[in-house]
Structure formats: structure tokens, C-alpha cells
Amino acid sequence: MESPSSIWWNEVAGPCSVMDELVGCLLLDRKNVLLCVPADLPWRHEMRASIEAEFRSRSGFHDLVFDTIDVRDECPDVDDVARWLFERYADRDARSGYRDRSGPLVRYMMEHKVLANRLLWVKGVSSDKIACWTKFCREYVPSGGVKDGMLVLESIGSGPVTHKRLSVVSYCDWITPHDIRLFNSILLNQTAYKTYSDLWKQYITVLCATLCKGDAELSCRLLDTTDFRVEDPLDRLRLIAQEPEFSRRGASPEHILSQVRSGEEALLSSMVWSAQLQVVFPGIELRRISFIQDHHADLATILARHEIMQGPEKCRVRVLDPMDLEVGTLSHLASRADYWPAGVSLFTPRETALFSCLHRLRNHLAHLECCFPQELSSMFDTN
């Protein structure tokens, strides 16, 4: 079974586009790249591995050295990037041959192929050091592409204005709400989730995407650890927020784990309600229409014989067309044996219970209240 990280970076359109854009800048434009990512980037190690594999596949450079530099650990205080890279990568001849009169060090590095056949992935660049790294990338022009050596700077947040000698690729520019929904849908089609009905899968897909937004890794964790049929997803998020693996996530106040930790209950509930509205309300309407279409003639007879009223208390109107019957009215009809010939209801006991549940769900949503998991089960698990 394919791993969630592989699905995200190799099957979902948005993340695949990030990889395509970055590799294209390196191979086609022959420019160094500043990759701007969010603090809560999903599976960043897998991202680097996938981009490396894609670059090797498309470039055909089999002797390429893919080298990772962690600025935070290896050179947090370096201001002269050219000097640091020169001392790290130049061979003995290049180091012994350089003099101050040799001219700018960056030009000397290019002439002597100091970074040849290397793709340097620079991560952990702090906001106060990004300027000196981007300065080097603008000055170091790999006219021969990766044969001369190239750099990718991975930086958290937004980058500077695009420079003609430096490409800027922003992760967030390529990721859409559809990507996280597609990702959730692919996961839910795996064998591990076969016990959920199609309606449950549709709801879970939307719910996790609404709560986790672009954080596919968190969405995967929520989906994997929650039994949505009995458990409040917000309770599960509160537990996830305490897990060591996710302790550093949620630096941004817009992130769901930040909102969970700060106790923004009204906002959290509104997101659950929004997800339920997108799935439950259309589901109620489809059930209503399907039942009316199946029993249109019988319902028309009842409406002709009885004065069935519905609507707000002060402006109730008589229902003449079965298609106008609201779910609450159908629930009322199901409970009234005196409407039916010989006391035999058109509704089976199961349908009576279902429409009573649909009526409660609709009232919850109409009053901006979240539906309980057990109530959703009554709807989602009923064929």
C-alpha cells in the first residue's frame, strides 16, 4: 500500500505542480531557486526525496551529487556564503590558487567549477540570513545548469520579489482546497477504511479538509486515529495537539492546532458545522426527493384528502404538490396513522425513524448547531 506521503507528493495535482515548477526552473531556466514553504509543510523530508528523484529522472545526470545543507545546524552565523561554500567544496588546487587579486570569489568559483555536478538543497535559513543566501544565488549564475552546480533555498514564509537570476517558487501558490480533498478521498478508498459507507467517506473528506486546510499530514493523522461514527473530531484534535510529533505544528494563528490550543471553541465548532452543511444538507434533500418520487401518487392522494399545512407559524400554507413536502412534514406524516387508508402507513418503521432523524439533523444545521456523530450514523449508515 502506498504511503500517505508518497500519495501527497506524487499523485495530488498541487504538490506535483510544485515539483514540476521547481524542477523546470532548474533544468529549463537554469536558475537557482528560492522555495517558499509554510512552517507546517507536510512531509518535508519526503518532498526533498521526491524532488530529487524527479530531477534525476528528467535531467539524466547520473553522477549528480544531491547535498543537503542545514544552515541552522552547520552555519547559523555565516554572512559570507561564498567563502563558506568555497571552503567546504573547493578542492586543494582551487583553494591554493585563489588570491584576493583573483577577483570576486563567486566568479572564481564558477570558473573553477567548485560546485560542479552538485545540487545543494539549503534548508533552515532564518529570516535574518535569507538575504545573504539569495545574494549568493543571484550572483552565482549556472549557465551550464547543474553541470556548474545549482542551489535550492528552502525558506519558511514568503520570498523577495522575483529576480531575473533567481526563480521563486511558492508552495502555497499551487495548493488548493481541492488538493486536500482529493488526498483524503484517495486515503479513504484504501482497504483500512472499507467499513465506512460512501456518505461517511464524503463527509470525512470534507470535514478533514475544512479543519486541517492545507496540512495534509495533520489531516492524515486525524483521519487515521478517529472513529467518526462515535467520536467528536475536535476531541481527537485536542489529543493530537499534545502529541510530541505535532508539538511544533501550529505556529501560525490560522493553523487548526493553534486554534485548538488557544481554545477558540466557537470558531472550531463553526468549521465542523460548515463541513456538515456541505454534506448533510444535500444528503437530506436527496433522501427527501427520492422518497417523494418513489411514492408520488400515494402522497398526492393524501394531500388531496387532507389539509396538510407547513411553514412558519404566522404564514403557514397548504401543501398541494408532493414535491413541496419538507422533511419535517414528511416526518409528521410518518407518525400519523390516521392519514393512511386502513391505518397502514406509507412509511416503513425504518423510514419513519430515518425521517425523524433527518428532521433533527436539519434543525441542528438551521440553528447553526453541529450534529452529533450518532445522529450522522443514523443517516449515513442507512441505505
Side-chain angles (χ1 to χ4, degrees):
M1 183 171 64
E2 191 173 6
S3 68
S5 59
S6 178
I7 292 172
W8 179 250
W9 284 108
N10 295 289
E11 293 189 27
V12 180
C16 287
S17 296
V18 174
M19 291 201 303
D20 288 342
E21 179 71 7
L22 191 150
V23 173
C25 290
L26 294 171
L27 290 179
L28 303 179
D29 299 339
R30 296 187 175 185
K31 290 183 179 180
N32 296 316
V33 177
L34 173 63
L35 173 62
C36 302
V37 299
D40 302 299
L41 178 72
W43 297 293
R44 57 181 69 237
H45 295 294
E46 289 81 353
M47 173 196 70
R48 296 171 194 136
S50 296
I51 290 176
E52 178 183 358
E54 180 71 10
F55 186 88
R56 289 184 186 278
S57 173
R58 288 171 56 177
S59 68
F61 291 119
H62 301 296
D63 57 347
L64 171 71
V65 177
F66 194 95
D67 198 2
T68 300
I69 299 173
D70 191 331
V71 174
R72 187 182 295 108
D73 293 338
E74 300 179 54
C75 51
D77 300 320
V78 166
D79 292 318
D80 191 342
V81 173
R83 174 66 63 179
W84 187 85
L85 291 174
F86 180 71
E87 292 176 354
R88 175 169 175 146
Y89 292 108
D91 59 25
R92 181 181 301 176
D93 291 339
R95 285 199 299 270
S96 62
Y98 179 72
R99 301 289 184 273
D100 289 340
R101 62 178 179 272
S102 301
L105 180 55
V106 174
R107 187 178 68 189
Y108 182 87
M109 291 174 66
M110 289 188 289
E111 291 172 349
H112 289 78
K113 308 294 183 183
V114 171
L115 301 180
N117 296 321
R118 292 183 183 276
L119 179 58
L120 304 183
W121 191 287
V122 184
K123 65 174 185 172
V125 185
S126 61
S127 58
D128 60 326
K129 295 297 180 182
I130 190 66
C132 59
W133 281 93
T134 55
K135 177 178 181 294
F136 174 82
C137 288
R138 290 194 295 266
E139 293 174 351
Y140 188 90
V141 182
S143 57
V146 75
K147 291 181 180 180
D148 292 339
M150 304 188 76
L151 288 86
V152 175
L153 304 182
E154 180 187 324
S155 175
I156 294 175
S158 59
V161 177
T162 303
H163 191 278
K164 65 180 180 180
R165 294 180 180 175
L166 176 66
S167 294
V168 179
V169 177
S170 175
Y171 172 88
C172 294
D173 287 348
W174 295 94
I175 306 301
T176 69
H178 174 74
D179 293 314
I180 191 73
R181 290 195 182 194
L182 175 59
F183 172 73
N184 292 340
S185 180
I186 293 173
L187 288 185
L188 285 165
N189 282 326
Q190 295 180 341
T191 306
Y193 305 101
K194 65 180 181 180
T195 58
Y196 285 116
S197 67
D198 288 343
L199 266 176
W200 266 118
K201 290 179 180 179
Q202 182 182 352
Y203 169 61
I204 296 169
T205 293
V206 174
L207 175 66
C208 290
T210 301
L211 291 173
C212 302
K213 298 183 175 67
D215 193 339
E217 193 168 351
L218 176 61
S219 182
C220 176
R221 182 66 174 167
L222 179 61
L223 193 154
D224 192 45
T225 58
T226 309
D227 186 346
F228 294 91
R229 289 164 292 205
V230 296
E231 189 175 356
D232 184 339
L234 296 181
D235 288 340
R236 175 56 60 180
L237 279 171
R238 294 182 186 100
L239 295 176
I240 294 175
Q242 300 174 21
E243 295 179 6
E245 183 181 353
F246 289 90
S247 61
R248 296 175 63 182
R249 284 185 179 264
S252 166
E254 288 79 27
H255 194 278
I256 184 69
L257 291 186
S258 173
Q259 294 160 352
V260 166
R261 293 181 184 118
S262 59
E264 299 181 44
E265 298 301 323
L267 176 61
L268 297 171
S269 295
S270 71
M271 287 191 281
V272 174
W273 175 85
S274 174
Q276 292 181 349
L277 184 68
Q278 294 176 62
V279 179
V280 176
F281 193 82
I284 292 173
E285 188 64 6
L286 289 173
R287 291 292 182 94
R288 182 189 75 86
I289 292 173
S290 176
F291 181 85
I292 292 173
Q293 289 176 337
D294 290 343
H295 304 282
H296 192 278
D298 292 326
L299 290 170
T301 299
I302 295 300
L303 293 179
R305 291 177 178 176
H306 301 275
E307 189 177 80
I308 307 298
M309 308 293 290
Q310 67 181 16
E313 190 65 34
K314 294 184 179 180
C315 54
R316 294 175 67 81
V317 295
R318 181 176 180 178
V319 183
L320 301 176
D321 185 345
M323 294 305 298
D324 293 332
L325 288 167
E326 297 176 355
V327 68
T329 308
L330 289 170
S331 178
H332 173 71
L333 291 178
S335 66
R336 292 288 299 271
D338 55 309
Y339 284 155
W340 309 103
V344 180
S345 175
L346 183 64
F347 297 80
T348 66
R350 189 174 185 179
E351 289 170 333
T352 299
L354 173 62
F355 274 97
S356 177
C357 173
L358 297 181
H359 186 209
R360 290 195 303 273
L361 292 173
R362 183 196 174 282
N363 283 344
H364 280 314
L365 296 175
H367 292 89
L368 307 182
E369 299 170 355
C370 295
C371 306
F372 297 106
Q374 293 79 1
E375 292 176 317
L376 295 176
S377 289
S378 298
M379 174 183 173
F380 292 164
D381 292 329
T382 303
N383 295 325

PDB file of all heavy atoms in Angstrom, residues 174-196:
ATOM      1  N   TRP A 174       0.374  27.003  -5.237  1.00  0.00           N
ATOM      2  CA  TRP A 174      -0.030  25.853  -6.036  1.00  0.00           C
ATOM      3  C   TRP A 174      -1.031  24.937  -5.320  1.00  0.00           C
ATOM      4  O   TRP A 174      -1.621  24.074  -5.960  1.00  0.00           O
ATOM      5  CB  TRP A 174       1.203  25.038  -6.433  1.00  0.00           C
ATOM      6  CG  TRP A 174       2.134  25.772  -7.336  1.00  0.00           C
ATOM      7  CD1 TRP A 174       3.216  26.508  -6.985  1.00  0.00           C
ATOM      8  CD2 TRP A 174       2.040  25.874  -8.764  1.00  0.00           C
ATOM      9  NE1 TRP A 174       3.826  27.062  -8.093  1.00  0.00           N
ATOM     10  CE2 TRP A 174       3.119  26.687  -9.204  1.00  0.00           C
ATOM     11  CE3 TRP A 174       1.165  25.351  -9.720  1.00  0.00           C
ATOM     12  CZ2 TRP A 174       3.336  26.981 -10.545  1.00  0.00           C
ATOM     13  CZ3 TRP A 174       1.383  25.656 -11.052  1.00  0.00           C
ATOM     14  CH2 TRP A 174       2.447  26.461 -11.456  1.00  0.00           C
ATOM     15  N   ILE A 175      -1.194  25.117  -4.009  1.00  0.00           N
ATOM     16  CA  ILE A 175      -2.049  24.216  -3.231  1.00  0.00           C
ATOM     17  C   ILE A 175      -3.443  24.821  -3.101  1.00  0.00           C
ATOM     18  O   ILE A 175      -3.598  25.980  -2.718  1.00  0.00           O
ATOM     19  CB  ILE A 175      -1.449  23.960  -1.841  1.00  0.00           C
ATOM     20  CG1 ILE A 175      -0.011  23.462  -1.964  1.00  0.00           C
ATOM     21  CG2 ILE A 175      -2.299  22.951  -1.071  1.00  0.00           C
ATOM     22  CD1 ILE A 175       0.155  22.186  -2.767  1.00  0.00           C
ATOM     23  N   THR A 176      -4.459  24.027  -3.413  1.00  0.00           N
ATOM     24  CA  THR A 176      -5.847  24.468  -3.355  1.00  0.00           C
ATOM     25  C   THR A 176      -6.644  23.568  -2.414  1.00  0.00           C
ATOM     26  O   THR A 176      -6.205  22.463  -2.076  1.00  0.00           O
ATOM     27  CB  THR A 176      -6.502  24.425  -4.750  1.00  0.00           C
ATOM     28  OG1 THR A 176      -6.657  23.042  -5.145  1.00  0.00           O
ATOM     29  CG2 THR A 176      -5.647  25.155  -5.781  1.00  0.00           C
ATOM     30  N   PRO A 177      -7.841  24.002  -1.975  1.00  0.00           N
ATOM     31  CA  PRO A 177      -8.686  23.133  -1.146  1.00  0.00           C
ATOM     32  C   PRO A 177      -9.006  21.806  -1.828  1.00  0.00           C
ATOM     33  O   PRO A 177      -9.200  20.780  -1.155  1.00  0.00           O
ATOM     34  CB  PRO A 177      -9.948  23.983  -0.944  1.00  0.00           C
ATOM     35  CG  PRO A 177      -9.478  25.392  -1.053  1.00  0.00           C
ATOM     36  CD  PRO A 177      -8.401  25.366  -2.107  1.00  0.00           C
ATOM     37  N   HIS A 178      -9.057  21.815  -3.157  1.00  0.00           N
ATOM     38  CA  HIS A 178      -9.344  20.566  -3.874  1.00  0.00           C
ATOM     39  C   HIS A 178      -8.246  19.534  -3.635  1.00  0.00           C
ATOM     40  O   HIS A 178      -8.524  18.327  -3.581  1.00  0.00           O
ATOM     41  CB  HIS A 178      -9.477  20.843  -5.370  1.00  0.00           C
ATOM     42  CG  HIS A 178      -9.635  19.605  -6.199  1.00  0.00           C
ATOM     43  ND1 HIS A 178     -10.805  18.869  -6.231  1.00  0.00           N
ATOM     44  CD2 HIS A 178      -8.757  18.944  -7.009  1.00  0.00           C
ATOM     45  CE1 HIS A 178     -10.639  17.820  -7.024  1.00  0.00           C
ATOM     46  NE2 HIS A 178      -9.415  17.848  -7.504  1.00  0.00           N
ATOM     47  N   ASP A 179      -7.002  19.971  -3.485  1.00  0.00           N
ATOM     48  CA  ASP A 179      -5.890  19.036  -3.296  1.00  0.00           C
ATOM     49  C   ASP A 179      -6.053  18.219  -2.022  1.00  0.00           C
ATOM     50  O   ASP A 179      -5.867  17.004  -2.023  1.00  0.00           O
ATOM     51  CB  ASP A 179      -4.563  19.786  -3.271  1.00  0.00           C
ATOM     52  CG  ASP A 179      -4.213  20.398  -4.609  1.00  0.00           C
ATOM     53  OD1 ASP A 179      -4.339  19.704  -5.630  1.00  0.00           O
ATOM     54  OD2 ASP A 179      -3.837  21.585  -4.649  1.00  0.00           O
ATOM     55  N   ILE A 180      -6.400  18.892  -0.922  1.00  0.00           N
ATOM     56  CA  ILE A 180      -6.535  18.174   0.343  1.00  0.00           C
ATOM     57  C   ILE A 180      -7.755  17.254   0.311  1.00  0.00           C
ATOM     58  O   ILE A 180      -7.737  16.156   0.877  1.00  0.00           O
ATOM     59  CB  ILE A 180      -6.596  19.167   1.531  1.00  0.00           C
ATOM     60  CG1 ILE A 180      -6.455  18.432   2.862  1.00  0.00           C
ATOM     61  CG2 ILE A 180      -7.834  19.989   1.501  1.00  0.00           C
ATOM     62  CD1 ILE A 180      -5.080  17.935   3.135  1.00  0.00           C
ATOM     63  N   ARG A 181      -8.799  17.668  -0.393  1.00  0.00           N
ATOM     64  CA  ARG A 181      -9.979  16.789  -0.512  1.00  0.00           C
ATOM     65  C   ARG A 181      -9.649  15.554  -1.344  1.00  0.00           C
ATOM     66  O   ARG A 181     -10.058  14.433  -0.996  1.00  0.00           O
ATOM     67  CB  ARG A 181     -11.146  17.554  -1.145  1.00  0.00           C
ATOM     68  CG  ARG A 181     -11.737  18.622  -0.253  1.00  0.00           C
ATOM     69  CD  ARG A 181     -13.093  19.078  -0.775  1.00  0.00           C
ATOM     70  NE  ARG A 181     -13.656  20.145   0.037  1.00  0.00           N
ATOM     71  CZ  ARG A 181     -14.920  20.549  -0.026  1.00  0.00           C
ATOM     72  NH1 ARG A 181     -15.750  19.958  -0.867  1.00  0.00           N
ATOM     73  NH2 ARG A 181     -15.355  21.530   0.739  1.00  0.00           N
ATOM     74  N   LEU A 182      -8.930  15.755  -2.436  1.00  0.00           N
ATOM     75  CA  LEU A 182      -8.534  14.622  -3.264  1.00  0.00           C
ATOM     76  C   LEU A 182      -7.650  13.671  -2.468  1.00  0.00           C
ATOM     77  O   LEU A 182      -7.818  12.447  -2.526  1.00  0.00           O
ATOM     78  CB  LEU A 182      -7.793  15.116  -4.504  1.00  0.00           C
ATOM     79  CG  LEU A 182      -7.203  14.035  -5.423  1.00  0.00           C
ATOM     80  CD1 LEU A 182      -8.305  13.109  -5.942  1.00  0.00           C
ATOM     81  CD2 LEU A 182      -6.436  14.654  -6.575  1.00  0.00           C
ATOM     82  N   PHE A 183      -6.725  14.218  -1.713  1.00  0.00           N
ATOM     83  CA  PHE A 183      -5.838  13.398  -0.884  1.00  0.00           C
ATOM     84  C   PHE A 183      -6.643  12.572   0.113  1.00  0.00           C
ATOM     85  O   PHE A 183      -6.438  11.351   0.256  1.00  0.00           O
ATOM     86  CB  PHE A 183      -4.856  14.313  -0.152  1.00  0.00           C
ATOM     87  CG  PHE A 183      -4.019  13.622   0.885  1.00  0.00           C
ATOM     88  CD1 PHE A 183      -2.993  12.766   0.520  1.00  0.00           C
ATOM     89  CD2 PHE A 183      -4.259  13.836   2.239  1.00  0.00           C
ATOM     90  CE1 PHE A 183      -2.212  12.133   1.480  1.00  0.00           C
ATOM     91  CE2 PHE A 183      -3.483  13.219   3.206  1.00  0.00           C
ATOM     92  CZ  PHE A 183      -2.465  12.361   2.824  1.00  0.00           C
ATOM     93  N   ASN A 184      -7.570  13.215   0.825  1.00  0.00           N
ATOM     94  CA  ASN A 184      -8.407  12.497   1.790  1.00  0.00           C
ATOM     95  C   ASN A 184      -9.227  11.405   1.109  1.00  0.00           C
ATOM     96  O   ASN A 184      -9.380  10.300   1.637  1.00  0.00           O
ATOM     97  CB  ASN A 184      -9.347  13.474   2.500  1.00  0.00           C
ATOM     98  CG  ASN A 184      -8.609  14.436   3.406  1.00  0.00           C
ATOM     99  OD1 ASN A 184      -7.477  14.184   3.807  1.00  0.00           O
ATOM    100  ND2 ASN A 184      -9.242  15.549   3.725  1.00  0.00           N
ATOM    101  N   SER A 185      -9.750  11.710  -0.052  1.00  0.00           N
ATOM    102  CA  SER A 185     -10.563  10.745  -0.788  1.00  0.00           C
ATOM    103  C   SER A 185      -9.751   9.519  -1.192  1.00  0.00           C
ATOM    104  O   SER A 185     -10.220   8.381  -1.095  1.00  0.00           O
ATOM    105  CB  SER A 185     -11.167  11.420  -2.025  1.00  0.00           C
ATOM    106  OG  SER A 185     -11.952  10.512  -2.756  1.00  0.00           O
ATOM    107  N   ILE A 186      -8.514   9.750  -1.639  1.00  0.00           N
ATOM    108  CA  ILE A 186      -7.645   8.627  -2.027  1.00  0.00           C
ATOM    109  C   ILE A 186      -7.368   7.741  -0.806  1.00  0.00           C
ATOM    110  O   ILE A 186      -7.431   6.504  -0.882  1.00  0.00           O
ATOM    111  CB  ILE A 186      -6.335   9.137  -2.635  1.00  0.00           C
ATOM    112  CG1 ILE A 186      -6.606   9.829  -3.972  1.00  0.00           C
ATOM    113  CG2 ILE A 186      -5.351   7.983  -2.843  1.00  0.00           C
ATOM    114  CD1 ILE A 186      -5.389  10.507  -4.568  1.00  0.00           C
ATOM    115  N   LEU A 187      -7.071   8.360   0.336  1.00  0.00           N
ATOM    116  CA  LEU A 187      -6.813   7.582   1.549  1.00  0.00           C
ATOM    117  C   LEU A 187      -8.035   6.753   1.950  1.00  0.00           C
ATOM    118  O   LEU A 187      -7.912   5.579   2.315  1.00  0.00           O
ATOM    119  CB  LEU A 187      -6.433   8.514   2.702  1.00  0.00           C
ATOM    120  CG  LEU A 187      -5.063   9.184   2.665  1.00  0.00           C
ATOM    121  CD1 LEU A 187      -4.839   9.975   3.952  1.00  0.00           C
ATOM    122  CD2 LEU A 187      -3.949   8.168   2.489  1.00  0.00           C
ATOM    123  N   LEU A 188      -9.206   7.366   1.886  1.00  0.00           N
ATOM    124  CA  LEU A 188     -10.426   6.685   2.330  1.00  0.00           C
ATOM    125  C   LEU A 188     -10.824   5.531   1.421  1.00  0.00           C
ATOM    126  O   LEU A 188     -11.630   4.689   1.812  1.00  0.00           O
ATOM    127  CB  LEU A 188     -11.576   7.690   2.439  1.00  0.00           C
ATOM    128  CG  LEU A 188     -11.506   8.609   3.661  1.00  0.00           C
ATOM    129  CD1 LEU A 188     -12.460   9.783   3.498  1.00  0.00           C
ATOM    130  CD2 LEU A 188     -11.824   7.836   4.930  1.00  0.00           C
ATOM    131  N   ASN A 189     -10.281   5.479   0.227  1.00  0.00           N
ATOM    132  CA  ASN A 189     -10.561   4.362  -0.673  1.00  0.00           C
ATOM    133  C   ASN A 189      -9.636   3.173  -0.430  1.00  0.00           C
ATOM    134  O   ASN A 189      -9.760   2.146  -1.100  1.00  0.00           O
ATOM    135  CB  ASN A 189     -10.450   4.816  -2.133  1.00  0.00           C
ATOM    136  CG  ASN A 189     -11.676   5.584  -2.587  1.00  0.00           C
ATOM    137  OD1 ASN A 189     -12.790   5.296  -2.153  1.00  0.00           O
ATOM    138  ND2 ASN A 189     -11.487   6.576  -3.434  1.00  0.00           N
ATOM    139  N   GLN A 190      -8.720   3.312   0.534  1.00  0.00           N
ATOM    140  CA  GLN A 190      -7.860   2.190   0.880  1.00  0.00           C
ATOM    141  C   GLN A 190      -8.612   1.199   1.759  1.00  0.00           C
ATOM    142  O   GLN A 190      -9.626   1.522   2.397  1.00  0.00           O
ATOM    143  CB  GLN A 190      -6.598   2.685   1.592  1.00  0.00           C
ATOM    144  CG  GLN A 190      -5.696   3.541   0.704  1.00  0.00           C
ATOM    145  CD  GLN A 190      -4.451   4.025   1.424  1.00  0.00           C
ATOM    146  OE1 GLN A 190      -4.382   4.033   2.647  1.00  0.00           O
ATOM    147  NE2 GLN A 190      -3.450   4.439   0.654  1.00  0.00           N
ATOM    148  N   THR A 191      -8.126  -0.025   1.804  1.00  0.00           N
ATOM    149  CA  THR A 191      -8.815  -1.118   2.499  1.00  0.00           C
ATOM    150  C   THR A 191      -9.078  -0.814   3.963  1.00  0.00           C
ATOM    151  O   THR A 191     -10.103  -1.236   4.522  1.00  0.00           O
ATOM    152  CB  THR A 191      -7.983  -2.412   2.384  1.00  0.00           C
ATOM    153  OG1 THR A 191      -7.714  -2.671   1.005  1.00  0.00           O
ATOM    154  CG2 THR A 191      -8.719  -3.590   2.988  1.00  0.00           C
ATOM    155  N   ALA A 192      -8.192  -0.076   4.604  1.00  0.00           N
ATOM    156  CA  ALA A 192      -8.316   0.194   6.039  1.00  0.00           C
ATOM    157  C   ALA A 192      -9.602   0.934   6.393  1.00  0.00           C
ATOM    158  O   ALA A 192     -10.054   0.885   7.543  1.00  0.00           O
ATOM    159  CB  ALA A 192      -7.104   1.001   6.517  1.00  0.00           C
ATOM    160  N   TYR A 193     -10.208   1.590   5.404  1.00  0.00           N
ATOM    161  CA  TYR A 193     -11.402   2.403   5.677  1.00  0.00           C
ATOM    162  C   TYR A 193     -12.653   1.837   5.001  1.00  0.00           C
ATOM    163  O   TYR A 193     -13.634   2.551   4.801  1.00  0.00           O
ATOM    164  CB  TYR A 193     -11.161   3.845   5.211  1.00  0.00           C
ATOM    165  CG  TYR A 193      -9.928   4.460   5.807  1.00  0.00           C
ATOM    166  CD1 TYR A 193      -8.744   4.556   5.070  1.00  0.00           C
ATOM    167  CD2 TYR A 193      -9.915   4.921   7.109  1.00  0.00           C
ATOM    168  CE1 TYR A 193      -7.603   5.100   5.620  1.00  0.00           C
ATOM    169  CE2 TYR A 193      -8.774   5.477   7.668  1.00  0.00           C
ATOM    170  CZ  TYR A 193      -7.616   5.554   6.919  1.00  0.00           C
ATOM    171  OH  TYR A 193      -6.488   6.092   7.476  1.00  0.00           O
ATOM    172  N   LYS A 194     -12.637   0.557   4.673  1.00  0.00           N
ATOM    173  CA  LYS A 194     -13.747  -0.032   3.917  1.00  0.00           C
ATOM    174  C   LYS A 194     -15.032  -0.117   4.734  1.00  0.00           C
ATOM    175  O   LYS A 194     -16.109  -0.299   4.164  1.00  0.00           O
ATOM    176  CB  LYS A 194     -13.354  -1.412   3.405  1.00  0.00           C
ATOM    177  CG  LYS A 194     -13.110  -2.444   4.495  1.00  0.00           C
ATOM    178  CD  LYS A 194     -12.732  -3.789   3.898  1.00  0.00           C
ATOM    179  CE  LYS A 194     -12.505  -4.844   4.981  1.00  0.00           C
ATOM    180  NZ  LYS A 194     -12.136  -6.144   4.386  1.00  0.00           N
ATOM    181  N   THR A 195     -14.946   0.002   6.059  1.00  0.00           N
ATOM    182  CA  THR A 195     -16.159  -0.093   6.884  1.00  0.00           C
ATOM    183  C   THR A 195     -17.011   1.167   6.819  1.00  0.00           C
ATOM    184  O   THR A 195     -18.160   1.154   7.259  1.00  0.00           O
ATOM    185  CB  THR A 195     -15.794  -0.374   8.346  1.00  0.00           C
ATOM    186  OG1 THR A 195     -14.943   0.672   8.829  1.00  0.00           O
ATOM    187  CG2 THR A 195     -15.074  -1.722   8.476  1.00  0.00           C
ATOM    188  N   TYR A 196     -16.473   2.258   6.299  1.00  0.00           N
ATOM    189  CA  TYR A 196     -17.259   3.486   6.158  1.00  0.00           C
ATOM    190  C   TYR A 196     -18.100   3.424   4.888  1.00  0.00           C
ATOM    191  O   TYR A 196     -17.635   2.990   3.833  1.00  0.00           O
ATOM    192  CB  TYR A 196     -16.348   4.711   6.073  1.00  0.00           C
ATOM    193  CG  TYR A 196     -15.722   5.138   7.377  1.00  0.00           C
ATOM    194  CD1 TYR A 196     -14.343   5.102   7.559  1.00  0.00           C
ATOM    195  CD2 TYR A 196     -16.509   5.611   8.428  1.00  0.00           C
ATOM    196  CE1 TYR A 196     -13.760   5.510   8.745  1.00  0.00           C
ATOM    197  CE2 TYR A 196     -15.930   6.023   9.623  1.00  0.00           C
ATOM    198  CZ  TYR A 196     -14.554   5.969   9.777  1.00  0.00           C
ATOM    199  OH  TYR A 196     -13.983   6.372  10.959  1.00  0.00           O
TER     200      TYR A 196
END
